[in-house]
Amino acid sequence: MKYTYIILFYANFIFNHTLIANDSNWQNEWRDRALKIIDALEDFSDRESALKVIKYAAIGAEKDIKHLLPARADATLAASNKLRNIPGHDIFFKREIYQLREDNRENTNINYNQDRRIIFNAMRQLKNLGVVKLSIEFLDDDSDFKSYSMGMPDTLGNDSLAASTLMGMIDDLPLEKDRWGYYRQDIPALQAWGREVLEGKRTFRFKDEPGVYNIHGRIREERREPSLPPLPATSGQDGMAGEKDASSPGVRWATLAALLVLLAVAARVFFFSRRSV
């Protein structure tokens, strides 16, 4: 019987490592497809392609970059850099947010909250003055907010989404924090902060980046230790731009091959146990 356990151990070892190797191959293929789409974007004339790149950038907003799979981290960084370097990205974000509102005039888009959250999450990743100004502007826009009863989800205002963007992007906001070190959302306090920023009366810092800024740009260098990463998210944007399909050919063949090995081992053990009787 000890040989049976040894054989089963090695069969299980082969099965697990086959799946790991297949998963690594899938990640590389996913990253290659994502980078090809990202690299091809030159401006915002192709709305569909631009929205795909925005989705890739938004992946990093719900998890710290350190907690993403390497393929996802590469795509998020590449998409953020691409969008940051295309002139007029803040104008495109603003136009898309208002277009989503227009498309939802009859409250028929069940993904209205999520569609806007993707854009605001992508804005968070860019960490530049254009998205800071745009986020401050949206702090005064609560016209979408509706609170439904009978189990229907609330419709978020753009002010709430913009507040979340600033809270994830700016390191020294005048907000209270909970016991885990996360900002508590306070839109009136953020509106007051935003007015002072726009008037040039207040400086700010981007998270995990050196330098102190005002509304006109960086005013001095300041080397600081990066802030502690947030706790890993249990759900969110990771995977929005493409989830692993368990029914893909690579996974099916790897699983089938491992099962055949296990069946062959079991049959051999049964055969020899019958001969020994």
Side-chain angles (χ1 to χ4, degrees), residues 100 123 162 164-165 185 198 218:
L100 287 170
M123 288 167 51
S164 296
T165 294
Q185 188 174 110
L198 294 178
R218 181 180 292 182

Side-chain angles (χ1 to χ4, degrees), residues 108-126:
T108 56
N109 182 5
I110 62 174
N111 295 318
Y112 184 48
N113 283 342
Q114 183 65 10
D115 289 344
R116 286 179 297 148
R117 185 179 282 116
I118 291 171
I119 297 176
F120 279 103
N121 282 347
M123 288 167 51
R124 182 194 305 189
Q125 299 303 102
L126 270 58

Side-chain angles (χ1 to χ4, degrees), residues 34-231:
L35 294 180
K36 184 176 180 180
I37 293 171
I38 294 166
D39 290 342
L41 185 68
E42 297 181 355
D43 53 41
F44 296 114
S45 59
D46 184 348
R47 178 173 179 262
E48 183 178 350
S49 296
L51 291 176
K52 287 181 180 179
V53 175
I54 286 173
K55 284 186 177 183
Y56 287 123
I59 288 174
E62 298 293 340
K63 290 185 180 181
D64 187 271
I65 196 74
K66 302 178 185 67
H67 301 308
L68 289 174
L69 294 172
R72 300 301 176 90
D74 290 346
T76 294
L77 291 174
S80 300
N81 289 333
K82 172 65 75 170
L83 293 170
R84 187 183 296 114
N85 291 319
I86 298 179
H89 52 264
D90 51 334
I91 297 174
F92 181 80
F93 292 149
K94 182 177 180 178
R95 186 169 68 240
E96 283 301 312
I97 291 168
Y98 283 131
Q99 183 62 51
L100 287 170
R101 171 180 289 167
E102 188 65 29
D103 294 342
N104 192 53
R105 285 297 181 188
E106 303 300 324
N107 294 322
T108 56
N109 182 5
I110 62 174
N111 295 318
Y112 184 48
N113 283 342
Q114 183 65 10
D115 289 344
R116 286 179 297 148
R117 185 179 282 116
I118 291 171
I119 297 176
F120 279 103
N121 282 347
M123 288 167 51
R124 182 194 305 189
Q125 299 303 102
L126 270 58
K127 296 181 182 177
N128 65 19
L129 296 179
V131 295
V132 170
K133 293 176 184 177
L134 182 58
S135 298
I136 292 173
E137 178 181 341
F138 275 119
L139 287 174
D140 294 319
D141 181 5
D142 64 351
S143 58
D144 286 304
F145 175 75
K146 292 183 179 65
S147 182
Y148 295 100
S149 58
M150 303 298 292
M152 294 292 289
D154 292 343
T155 299
L156 299 173
N158 286 331
D159 55 346
S160 177
L161 293 169
S164 296
T165 294
L166 290 168
M167 290 161 60
M169 183 169 52
I170 305 299
D171 198 28
D172 52 353
L173 293 171
L175 299 177
E176 294 183 359
K177 294 185 177 181
D178 60 25
R179 60 179 179 175
W180 295 283
Y182 293 96
Y183 286 127
R184 298 182 186 276
Q185 188 174 110
D186 185 338
I187 292 176
L190 284 172
Q191 289 171 330
W193 172 87
R195 285 191 294 270
E196 292 183 355
V197 168
L198 294 178
E199 292 169 0
K201 297 178 180 179
R202 183 182 283 272
T203 60
F204 57 90
R205 302 181 181 93
F206 290 113
K207 287 188 175 182
D208 301 326
E209 291 191 7
V212 178
Y213 292 77
N214 64 17
I215 198 61
H216 304 295
R218 181 180 292 182
I219 58 176
R220 68 176 181 271
E221 288 284 346
E222 184 176 87
R223 293 288 173 183
R224 307 171 68 243
E225 291 296 323
S227 59
L228 292 175
L231 296 174

